[in-house]
Structures are given as structure tokens and as C-alpha cells.
Amino acid sequence: MILGIESSCDDSSVALMDAKTYELVLYKKISQESRHSEFGGVVPELAARLHTAALPNLALDLKPYFEDIKAIAVTNEPGLSVSLIAGVSMAKALSISLNIPLIAINHLIGHIYSLFLDQKIKLPLGILLVSGGHTMVLNIDSHGKITLLASTTDDSYGESFDKVAKMMNLGYPGGAVIESFAKGCVDDMYKFTVPLKGNKKRLEYSFSGLKNQVRLAIENLGKNLSEDEISKVAFSFQKAATEHIIDKLKTVFDIYKFENFGVVGGASANQTLRGELEKISTKYNTNLLFAPLKFCSDNAAMIARAGVDKYEKKEFIDYKNLRISPRSDLNGVII
Ligand code: KG4
Ligand code: ZN
């Protein structure tokens, strides 16, 4: 079995995967969302403290399986430094005490593996990654080499939902709550401008201008927004943000012909986004892949699954060389 450990942001999670069958033998996740909600976003110091409390408890659940673990795959980049340190420290401690090798996993590559939890990876592959920290489009060739095709110059898609929710005092994270307020509303009252719309030369995302449009609309409404007002803002915002994703993807699809195109990251749970993606994938004759809803957001199952492929290639790392990094560049990386 391969042990996966994930602690890059506000979820502490462990998973055990059978390296031959991909069976998920154990999966646990302790989410900190409710603890960060009152602050409208993740508070790093609080996240670090909560990981330090949660991870040893999760390690106790692993105890009956210690003898069967062949390697430990742990997220070491990108993410919140203080959160990454918690998981990596536990991975090192287990590696030394159980005398088993370590495998370093890039969190974003972990998300890609959420599409293939119980099967072999399909290559070549196009990817849209939409999470709280990232918005990017990737091409992965048949050898697994990643090319970055587009990314955001400021906020990410998921983060813009979080910020809009914060502006309306709806807590953290904002994705699901904005989506539920938008549901049922059909009136695009605000008609927010879609960023960089139709500009085929600029293959990039930007959500900060849209966020400011939303901020102005909310300020004009004054204090104590009614549910109807929140729904209308949420609907118009979600519509423009999603149109932005699709508009740039069309330019990508005009250039690249993907047989398989995967959509990953916490925000890939958004049903409006999924609906619009279905439409363009039909138009461009692309097979769309999604992770199971439960594994769209951060989880250790995807880290264990990425670890299985690295275990087969014997890509181990000595504990002295295993470092964390808040950022990573996927361009040119081999999956
Ligand atoms: O992948 P993830 O769990 O963590 C990061 O790696 O960042 O993604 C979390 C992000 C948050 O910003 C959250 O608001 C967003 O995904 N999200 C959504 C939805 N569910 C989660 N965004 C839009 N619509 C959703 N239904
Ligand atoms: Zn993530």
C-alpha cells in the first residue's frame, strides 16, 4: 500500500491505496473550513495549529496498516508553507520510524490524478485546473510532459467565489454558497463585463476586475442585503466568471485538439461550469473527464494515487532533500 498525506491548505487528510489494484483501503479527511469561516478566508497560523492537532490523530487510524505501507507520498508544493510543513514533518517522522521511502507530490499533479483514482492515467490529456489557489489550462503530451497554456494573472476562479461571498458576509469557502444562491435565479440583473472577452491574443485569466465590478454593485445596494439581492449578485457574478473560463477555453480548443480533457480542482464541482463545459466539449468533439464530486476538493486519495505511479518509477526522495515550497512551476514537468 501507498500512504498519501495532504495538508497543503485547510484540509488534513490521509489515504491508503493498494498499489496494484488502486483500491482505496482507507480514506480520512478533517476539514478546517468551519474554523476559518468567521474570518472569510484561511488564516495560516490557525491552519498550522489545526493540522498539528489533526494529523497525529489520523496517523493513529493508520496504525493497524503500518506493516503494509511500502512508501509515503506527501504533498510538498505548492500551498501554504505552514500547512505543508505539518504534513511533510509527519511524513518524515513516519518514514524514519517505519523505515520506508518518501515520495514528493506536487499538489496540482495530485489534482490531475483525482481523475484516475481507480484506473491507469490516460495520456495525452488536456486539463483545466480550477481551485482556490489556481486557474490554469495545461497540455500533457503522451510522455507526460506538461505545457502551461494559460493561467491567471491575479485571482483564481475559486478564490473569486470566496471573495464575493466574503463581501456579502456568507462565510468561507464561498464556492458552494454562491452557487446555491445563484441557483434558481434567471435574471442577469448586473450583466458584469466578462474579462478579456473575445481577446484571442491574450490567452490568460483575470478575475480582479470582475471582483471589483461586483464590489461596486454590492456597495450600491447598501447594508443588509436581502436573499433576493444576494441571489441576483451571485447569479450575475457566477455567469460572468464562468463565461470567462469558457471564452478562453474556446481559444485553446481552436488551437489544440484534445481527445480527452479533464477538469479538476475544488471549483470543478460547480454545476454551471460543468454544464457550459459539456456544451463546448460536444462542439469540439472532446471527451470530458471529471473527478467524483467527493474528490474534487483537496484530499489525500489523489496524493496516494499520484504516489502509486511514482512508486512504480521508484521516484523516491531522501528525507534530508524533501523540502516544501509555496509555489511551483508545472511548465516542462513530467507527470
Ligand atoms: O482544490 P481546493 O479544495 O483547494 C485548493 O487547492 O485551492 O479548492 C477550493 C476552492 C475554494 O476556493 C472553493 O470556494 C472552490 O474551490 N469551490 C467552488 C465550488 N466548490 C468549491 N467554486 C465554485 N463553485 C463551487 N461549487
Ligand atoms: Zn487543491
Side-chain angles (χ1 to χ4, degrees):
M1 285 177 203
I2 304 299
L3 165 61
I5 302 177
E6 159 64 37
S7 74
S8 65
C9 189
D10 58 347
D11 294 302
S12 318
S13 180
V14 295
L16 282 173
M17 184 170 279
D18 186 308
K20 288 208 179 89
T21 62
Y22 304 137
E23 184 200 345
L24 199 54
V25 178
L26 178 137
Y27 172 64
K28 301 249 161 159
K29 167 162 147 171
I30 299 176
S31 176
Q32 308 175 353
E33 280 173 2
S34 60
R35 300 293 301 274
H36 297 285
S37 186
E38 63 175 300
F39 305 104
V42 177
V43 180
E45 196 267 343
L46 176 60
R49 262 193 290 138
L50 295 173
H51 280 307
T52 314
L55 284 167
N57 279 329
L58 294 175
L60 285 180
D61 295 329
L62 297 168
K63 226 172 164 185
Y65 304 94
F66 275 173
E67 276 184 8
D68 303 314
I69 302 173
K70 297 289 175 239
I72 302 169
V74 61
T75 306
N76 72 320
E77 62 174 20
L80 271 180
S81 295
V82 288
S83 293
L84 289 164
I85 286 169
V88 167
S89 300
M90 187 170 91
K92 287 186 181 187
L94 286 173
S95 156
I96 294 166
S97 55
L98 301 175
N99 196 24
I100 43 178
L102 285 166
I103 300 170
I105 302 292
N106 180 298
H107 179 77
L108 308 180
I109 291 179
H111 273 301
I112 296 169
Y113 271 97
S114 67
L115 299 169
F116 306 105
L117 286 176
D118 57 1
Q119 56 181 296
K120 283 199 178 316
I121 188 166
K122 285 192 185 107
L123 296 176
L125 179 69
I127 289 285
L128 169 69
L129 170 75
V130 273
S131 69
H134 298 85
T135 297
M136 48 177 72
V137 185
L138 307 170
N139 180 47
I140 311 178
D141 72 14
S142 51
H143 304 290
K145 189 171 175 196
I146 300 177
T147 308
L148 179 68
L149 305 181
S151 71
T152 177
T153 53
D154 41 63
D155 295 341
S156 71
Y157 179 73
E159 189 181 10
S160 66
F161 278 73
D162 296 336
K163 289 188 172 162
V164 168
K166 188 177 179 183
M167 289 176 209
M168 298 194 283
N169 297 319
L170 300 175
Y172 168 85
V177 68
I178 291 289
E179 180 174 13
S180 68
F181 269 105
K183 208 172 174 184
C185 181
V186 284
D187 177 11
D188 184 12
M189 172 141 174
Y190 294 98
K191 298 188 173 48
F192 296 126
T193 308
V194 177
L196 304 167
K197 176 131 195 210
N199 185 339
K200 296 212 175 271
K201 288 203 182 103
R202 287 182 63 188
L203 196 46
E204 62 195 27
Y205 289 106
S206 167
F207 291 93
S208 63
L210 172 61
K211 192 181 67 190
N212 284 333
Q213 290 179 62
V214 177
R215 188 189 306 282
L216 286 175
I218 293 170
E219 276 169 14
N220 279 337
L221 287 170
K223 285 196 180 121
N224 300 327
L225 272 55
S226 67
E227 289 212 353
D228 186 50
E229 285 169 332
I230 295 174
S231 291
K232 285 183 171 140
V233 172
F235 178 84
S236 291
F237 156 71
Q238 178 175 267
K239 185 169 184 293
T242 304
E243 240 180 275
H244 182 31
I245 295 284
I246 301 295
D247 178 50
K248 293 298 162 194
L249 263 191
K250 280 184 186 157
T251 308
V252 171
F253 284 3
D254 281 337
I255 305 167
Y256 291 82
K257 304 282 169 242
F258 297 110
E259 194 184 324
N260 288 305
F261 190 80
V263 187
V264 297
S268 68
N270 187 285
Q271 296 302 318
T272 300
L273 177 65
R274 286 188 175 214
E276 294 304 315
L277 285 164
E278 302 277 2
K279 283 187 210 157
I280 66 158
S281 64
T282 305
K283 188 170 163 229
Y284 285 87
N285 205 10
T286 294
N287 182 33
L288 213 49
L289 310 175
F290 289 108
L293 275 182
K294 182 178 172 189
F295 296 111
C296 287
S297 60
D298 294 349
N299 66 84
M302 66 188 195
I303 304 303
R305 176 63 190 86
V308 168
D309 278 15
K310 287 210 168 206
Y311 178 74
E312 275 168 11
K313 294 184 214 152
K314 300 209 172 356
E315 284 185 32
F316 303 126
I317 183 162
D318 188 82
Y319 80 95
K320 290 189 203 99
N321 297 328
L322 176 56
R323 306 246 191 285
I324 62 105
S325 172
R327 270 174 285 282
S328 75
D329 181 6
L330 282 185
N331 218 5
V333 167
I334 312 264
I335 200 166

